[in-house]
Amino acid sequence: MMNDEHLLNFINDPAWDSPFFKRLANNDTGNAPGHQGGIVVPMELRQYFPELDQGRTSPATPTVDRRLVAELFDGGSFLGQCATRYQFQTWRGDRSAESRITGGLGPLRNRAHDGDL
């Protein structure tokens, strides 16, 4: 487990960019009626994630993704590491691409509530 001091040292390390935070909506937590899978990445935060080619999405290929390894924290508590993916989802090409992080996030999402950072 990583305590608050270790977390602060980690995020203040000059080898890393500054961290960013997102306030979770109810559909990020899996508690919304639609039970969406994963955390939405707003357009303005996409610059901090691996590049995805939105032009590759189509009705035949509605999702474009990249695999990631994520470290999950609840405050200063380290919950674990998981294999996850960052994706553009277009729902069979019917909608503009929405970016999400999906898969393996249960240890974090199961604790999350609407409004959490």
Side-chain angles (χ1 to χ4, degrees), residues 22-25 28-29 74 108 111-117:
K22 177 190 185 277
R23 187 165 305 280
L24 298 178
D28 293 321
T29 67
D74 182 0
L108 184 63
R111 295 170 171 240
H113 300 284
D114 183 30
D116 285 352
L117 286 177

Side-chain angles (χ1 to χ4, degrees), residues 28-43:
D28 293 321
T29 67
N31 294 322
H35 301 291
Q36 291 289 342
I39 297 172
V40 172
V41 176
M43 283 186 175

Side-chain angles (χ1 to χ4, degrees), residues 29-111:
T29 67
N31 294 322
H35 301 291
Q36 291 289 342
I39 297 172
V40 172
V41 176
M43 283 186 175
E44 59 271 13
L45 294 182
R46 288 180 183 173
Q47 64 183 316
Y48 301 106
F49 287 84
E51 187 173 336
L52 295 175
D53 184 0
Q54 185 173 340
R56 288 184 38 218
T57 61
S58 69
T61 309
T63 303
V64 175
D65 68 357
R66 299 263 313 256
R67 300 294 173 172
L68 303 175
V69 173
E71 293 183 350
L72 308 177
F73 289 86
D74 182 0
S77 297
F78 179 66
L79 303 177
Q81 191 176 67
C82 71
T84 189
R85 68 186 188 137
Y86 171 56
Q87 68 174 0
F88 283 155
Q89 173 61 257
T90 64
W91 290 269
R92 294 180 280 309
D94 293 339
R95 300 193 331 211
S96 60
E98 176 183 80
S99 49
R100 285 186 177 270
I101 303 170
T102 64
L105 302 173
L108 184 63
R109 290 184 73 218
N110 293 342
R111 295 170 171 240

